[in-house]
Amino acid sequence: MHYSGAVYRPPSEARSLIVQCTLGCSHNKCAFCTMYKDKKFSINPIEQVLSDLDEARAYGRYIEKIFLADGDALILPMDYLLTVLDYICDHFPTCKRVAAYATTKAIMRKTDDELRTLREHGLGIVYIGLESGNEELLKKFCKGVTAEEIVLNAIRCKQAGIATSVTAINGMAGANGDWQALDTAKAVSRMKPDYIAFLTLRVYSGTPLHDWITSGEFKMMEPPELMRETRLFLEHIDSDGSIFRSNHASNYLPLGGTLNRDREALIHTIDEALDGKVRLRRAVELGL
């Protein structure tokens, strides 16, 4: 199969067949991110994608999930997406779900009818980066869209029947996390996604975030501050039935549960960690 450059996928797509429909990310300007810096955004020829699917099918593996890479497959034209989705439906009878990353701008380019059509042809879930519900932080980190736009378009996907997995990033406010946690809880509560992934802000050389830290403009949160921000988020979120995960490689304290049911248990685990009764991952374990 054809793969160009580093290939990224959500943790929940670890066992999925990954098919590279696009190269890179159509935005690729977020101040904290180094993903896809090794390639310029482009669209792979449809013939290559179908050939890759044929090659994967020839191996005879039992394939339940397929992930359309790279960073923003939903930006592809409808005829391209429908050709790929229909080919998967016809040639992979065991496939139960097709997934893709989706930037808000890509969702905005699809009408409600087009989103419903994509669902009808097999697109089961999209991964959407909220990062923060605070408008100033999204502007500072060059997200390229507003929190309001992210919320409204995630809701559009859900209304079309496409499951949503929304990512938020712990620590984006630096030393002043209370308003970040409250704004993010408010935004996620409106979206009520099927899945919520809480990551922790990490610093990579070559990013604007790295420069801000070097100059003293930005100060990273320490683990206790990060946990308190997560606690505040959980206290104020109302997203009944959403599966909450904070067990990414970047997280000091792995958490998991279903909201709102497990809210108190999750908060109790954070309190135990703050009291030193639950062991945190060390920075070396996180690759920091």
Side-chain angles (χ1 to χ4, degrees):
M1 296 181 68
H2 298 88
Y3 291 105
S4 176
V7 178
Y8 301 91
R9 47 85 182 157
S12 56
E13 300 295 331
R15 297 180 179 273
S16 300
L17 168 65
I18 299 177
V19 182
Q20 205 171 33
C21 297
T22 67
L23 299 182
C25 171
S26 60
H27 179 62
N28 209 20
K29 295 176 183 176
C30 295
F32 53 80
C33 184
T34 57
M35 291 167 59
Y36 309 118
K37 297 302 183 186
D38 60 337
K39 53 186 121 175
K40 183 179 180 181
F41 180 78
S42 62
I43 296 174
N44 276 337
I46 187 73
E47 297 79 14
Q48 179 178 307
V49 174
L50 300 184
S51 174
D52 286 344
L53 287 168
D54 279 338
E55 184 177 344
R57 188 164 58 99
Y59 288 118
R61 294 193 303 123
Y62 182 82
I63 295 173
E64 285 193 344
K65 299 193 296 182
I66 295 177
F67 180 73
L68 306 181
D70 269 335
D72 190 14
L74 202 71
I75 204 168
L76 290 163
M78 281 295 291
D79 57 348
Y80 188 118
L81 284 168
L82 293 178
T83 298
V84 172
L85 290 171
D86 289 345
Y87 199 85
I88 290 171
C89 180
D90 292 340
H91 295 85
F92 293 83
T94 60
C95 182
K96 298 178 180 178
R97 188 180 82 182
V98 180
Y101 283 129
T103 63
T104 295
K105 286 184 178 179
I107 301 171
M108 292 167 69
R109 292 173 60 163
K110 300 289 189 285
T111 67
D112 292 345
D113 284 342
E114 287 174 333
L115 290 174
R116 282 191 291 269
T117 298
L118 291 172
R119 178 65 192 98
E120 290 165 0
H121 287 252
L123 181 63
I125 184 171
V126 289
Y127 296 88
I128 300 170
L130 168 66
E131 327 311 3
S132 172
N134 181 267
E135 300 289 6
E136 291 304 314
L137 280 178
L138 292 181
K139 187 182 298 184
K140 178 179 177 65
F141 279 85
C142 304
K143 182 67 179 174
V145 287
T146 66
E148 184 68 12
E149 288 171 332
I150 299 169
V151 168
L152 293 178
N153 284 281
I155 291 172
R156 290 181 62 228
C157 288
K158 283 207 69 175
Q159 290 174 339
I162 302 171
T164 56
S165 179
V166 171
T167 299
I169 300 180
N170 200 193
M172 282 181 65
N176 304 295
D178 285 3
W179 40 275
Q180 134 91 347
L182 295 173
D183 287 346
T184 302
K186 181 179 178 180
V188 176
S189 296
R190 290 176 61 198
M191 289 188 277
K192 290 184 169 45
D194 299 270
Y195 303 90
I196 303 166
F198 224 57
L199 281 58
T200 300
L201 186 66
R202 298 177 72 169
V203 188
Y204 299 97
S205 60
T207 62
L209 174 60
H210 182 271
D211 295 339
W212 299 341
I213 293 170
T214 301
S215 68
E217 179 183 344
F218 188 93
K219 185 178 183 299
M220 294 289 285
M221 280 187 174
E222 296 296 329
E225 297 171 306
L226 292 165
M227 288 187 288
R228 291 188 186 98
E229 185 183 76
T230 303
R231 190 187 197 284
L232 192 60
F233 170 84
L234 289 169
E235 283 180 327
H236 288 83
I237 189 171
D238 178 14
S239 190
D240 198 41
S242 296
I243 296 174
F244 176 82
R245 293 287 183 269
S246 183
N247 56 1
H248 184 259
S250 64
N251 298 124
Y252 288 93
L253 177 66
L255 296 168
T258 300
L259 299 174
N260 297 326
R261 183 192 69 195
D262 298 328
R263 181 203 314 274
E264 295 308 318
L266 292 166
I267 290 174
H268 177 72
T269 300
I270 293 172
D271 289 341
E272 293 278 281
L274 287 169
D275 289 340
K277 298 175 183 177
V278 174
R279 178 182 175 274
L280 302 181
R281 291 171 173 168
R282 295 174 299 166
V284 65
E285 294 177 282
L286 300 177
L288 302 176

